[in-house]
Every structure is written in structure tokens, then in C-alpha cells.
Amino acid sequence: MSYIHTINLWEVPLYFAYRRTNDTPEHYRGTFHAHQGIEILIVHEGRGKLIIEQKSYDLAPGMLCIFQPYHLHHVQVELSPEQPFIRTIVHFEPTLYESYFDKWPVLQRFFKHIHTESLPEPCIYHTGDIKPLDSLLSNWEISVPLIAKSDYFEEFSLFLVTFLRAFKQLWEQQLGPPSTPKLLRKPHQAERMLEWLNKHYKEPLRLELMASELHLSPYHLSHLFKECTGSSISDYVAAKKMQQAILLLTASELSIARIGEEVGITNSSYFCKMFKSQMGITPHQYRKQFHHNLNLPLG
């Protein structure tokens, strides 16, 4: 049996589990599955098999794996109290974070490599000393419960940049930097939908146009998007607008009304109402809080 495993990465834009442990079969049910976004798996302890797109890998401590969007995979673990399966998972939707890597071209190249290109191998072994990475993950586990919803994108993006910088060093020690010319992998239908929405999210949502350009019926389009992402198309567009608004509030001096226009909401009052319903505070309060935290003048 295989299925699309939905985790709503719009509601919590980065899923994180540190040293999750299973030691009895009844508490672990591995099945073939695929899912939205990129999942990075770090194996601390465990023995068994990992199957990715019909290829088998031995599960071993120190192993690092990248599951690209909608790649079918299955973990088969030999479990006992003496031999538990302990792993850390970092899972995120890459399209939500692309703009945060603009100022880091070398890291951005790696970010795009693990997202859009065909990887030489999805797993590596003998990664050497991962203590600095483990320390980062341990500290992040303590921080996550303390993050307010209004700070999600800022804090998650800062963590992701730091995490991928450390992860990149371990990964490229084994496989080297991305090759040129690059070989792009074939995107899943859901990724094509996300790409379309990322280009058109500022415009009024026209489901018929989207369906026509992606060669799907409107019903099939909506149903497949929900099945693959756990979110409706309208909820994704709203989350995308809010993410871009947060970027503009923190990285520009544009007025609140202009920021609303920049994300496709021309009615300033509606923009403020929508922002508060999503983030818990108004755009003005968000900007004021951000500058206060950095001890910056409001301009």
C-alpha cells in the first residue's frame, strides 16, 4: 500500500521532530508514502532498510537522507528495546522559503539542488562528526515551543538557513558540490500547481484559468491539490500573501496600504483584517514589534 501523506505546511511552515524514538513494532508502522515538500532525515540509531523509488539502502547510525517532493519511500526497521529507531526529521515546503536565500548565493545553489535537481544519491553514510549539527537541532527543539505564530516565518527561515549551511557541509563532504550541467528531475503535478500559484498569487484566483493552463479539470485540480498538500488552493494563496507581506513589512519601508497592494489586496482595511486573522496582530503592530526586537528606528 502507498499513499500521499499530507502535512499542512502552510499552518506550520516547518515540521521538526528531534530524536524521535520507537522501540516496539506496535508503535511504528512504516508504509510506502510520499508527501509535499522536502524531508531531511538524520538517523541517530537504528537498523533496517530504507527504500526510495524502488532502490534499497541499509539503515545505519549517522546516515543522512533527502526525500524530495512526492518521492515514494518506505522505512523498514528492526525494532527492539535494545535496538530502537532514533531519528531527527526536518520537513518544509521549499517554495515558501526561496526568497530567504537570495542573499546567500552558494547556499541558494544547494537549496535549489536538493529541491529541483536529480540527486546522485538520496542518502549518504560516514558523515563524520555531526555534533555541531546535533547541537543546533537540540537548541532548536528548546526554542520551537516558544515561537509566536506571528514570528513563524522569520524564526523558521533563520533556522533553515543555519541548518542547511551545516547540513550542506556534511552532504558535500561525501558527494561534492552540485554538478554542472544540472539534471532537473520531473516535477509532480502538485509542484506544477504550486509553481503556477507562486507566479499568480497576486492576481484574483481564477480556478478555470489555472485548470486550463495545467490541463486539468477545475474539480480534479482542487481535489488533487487538497490530497497532495492537505490545504485548499484558497488557503495556500492566503498563506502566500501573508508570507510576502511579512517580508515587505520587515525588509522595506513601504506603507501598509502599499504592501497590501503588492500582495494583491487593494482594500487596505481588508488587508489589515486578513493579516490579523492569520497572524494574530495587525501589520502595523507586526512591523513595530519587529523593529523593537532589533532596536531599530521605525524610519
Side-chain angles (χ1 to χ4, degrees):
M1 177 183 179
S2 65
Y3 63 98
I4 299 290
H5 184 197
T6 57
I7 295 177
N8 196 327
L9 293 175
W10 324 125
E11 215 169 272
V12 179
L14 189 145
Y15 174 79
F16 175 77
Y18 178 64
R19 287 188 170 268
R20 175 177 287 181
T21 302
N22 294 100
D23 58 11
T24 56
E26 60 267 25
H27 293 148
Y28 183 79
R29 291 285 183 267
T31 58
F32 275 104
H33 68 283
H35 46 63
Q36 174 198 359
I38 291 173
E39 178 185 342
I40 293 178
L41 171 70
I42 302 167
V43 178
H44 303 286
E45 292 185 40
R47 299 290 177 187
K49 294 286 184 183
L50 175 59
I51 302 171
I52 306 175
E53 296 286 307
Q54 302 180 336
K55 187 173 179 180
S56 179
Y57 299 84
D58 289 326
L59 203 66
M63 182 183 194
L64 305 181
C65 298
I66 297 174
F67 304 131
Q68 292 179 302
Y70 303 103
H71 269 193
L72 200 63
H73 56 279
H74 181 201
V75 183
Q76 301 171 335
V77 191
E78 302 165 9
L79 287 174
S80 70
E82 296 75 29
Q83 183 60 71
F85 180 33
I86 304 176
R87 71 278 191 200
T88 292
I89 297 167
V90 178
H91 184 184
F92 59 95
E93 169 50 50
T95 59
L96 289 176
Y97 293 98
E98 284 174 349
S99 56
Y100 291 95
F101 287 84
D102 286 345
K103 296 186 183 298
W104 320 105
V106 175
L107 191 58
Q108 184 183 57
R109 176 75 184 87
F110 180 72
F111 178 80
K112 289 182 177 180
H113 173 60
I114 65 174
H115 175 208
T116 64
E117 297 174 17
S118 180
L119 300 176
E121 290 291 343
C123 301
I124 60 171
Y125 300 87
H126 312 300
T127 50
D129 184 11
I130 66 167
K131 287 181 181 177
L133 182 62
D134 194 57
S135 177
L136 169 67
L137 296 169
S138 176
N139 290 333
W140 178 246
E141 183 193 32
I142 297 169
S143 302
V144 169
L146 306 177
I147 300 173
K149 185 177 180 181
S150 60
D151 295 334
Y152 274 179
F153 280 112
E154 179 183 348
E155 295 296 331
F156 291 171
S157 63
L158 288 171
F159 164 75
L160 198 56
V161 167
T162 307
F163 168 74
L164 284 180
R165 185 169 181 266
F167 183 86
K168 173 180 177 291
Q169 292 175 344
L170 294 172
W171 190 262
E172 292 185 350
Q173 282 174 9
Q174 299 295 316
L175 296 179
S179 60
T180 302
K182 55 184 179 285
L183 178 64
L184 298 179
R185 63 181 178 82
K186 185 178 179 181
H188 187 273
Q189 274 188 315
E191 293 180 87
R192 293 175 57 236
M193 295 179 205
L194 290 171
E195 183 180 3
W196 193 95
L197 289 170
N198 288 337
K199 289 179 180 177
H200 298 277
Y201 75 93
K202 298 179 182 181
E203 307 164 10
L205 179 60
R206 292 183 289 173
L207 203 61
E208 292 77 11
L209 175 63
M210 181 180 176
S212 173
E213 292 191 0
L214 295 177
H215 308 292
L216 297 167
S217 71
Y219 171 79
H220 187 208
L221 177 77
S222 298
H223 180 77
L224 184 61
F225 191 89
K226 179 73 174 179
E227 179 185 40
C228 291
T229 70
S231 168
S232 68
I233 292 175
S234 59
D235 284 347
Y236 171 74
V237 171
K240 183 67 181 178
K241 287 178 184 290
M242 291 303 101
Q243 181 213 16
Q244 186 62 22
I246 287 170
L247 276 174
L248 293 172
L249 284 166
T250 57
S252 80
E253 296 183 3
L254 295 176
S255 68
I256 302 299
R258 179 64 188 280
I259 289 173
E261 293 173 3
E262 286 291 320
V263 301
I265 305 173
T266 55
N267 184 312
S268 181
S269 296
Y270 179 70
F271 169 63
C272 292
K273 182 179 179 181
M274 182 178 176
F275 190 95
K276 187 173 182 180
S277 71
Q278 293 277 331
M279 308 306 300
I281 57 178
T282 67
H284 177 74
Q285 288 170 331
Y286 187 94
R287 174 176 271 172
K288 186 176 180 181
Q289 178 179 294
F290 174 79
H291 285 85
H292 174 75
N293 290 342
L294 293 181
N295 295 314
L296 294 175
L298 284 171

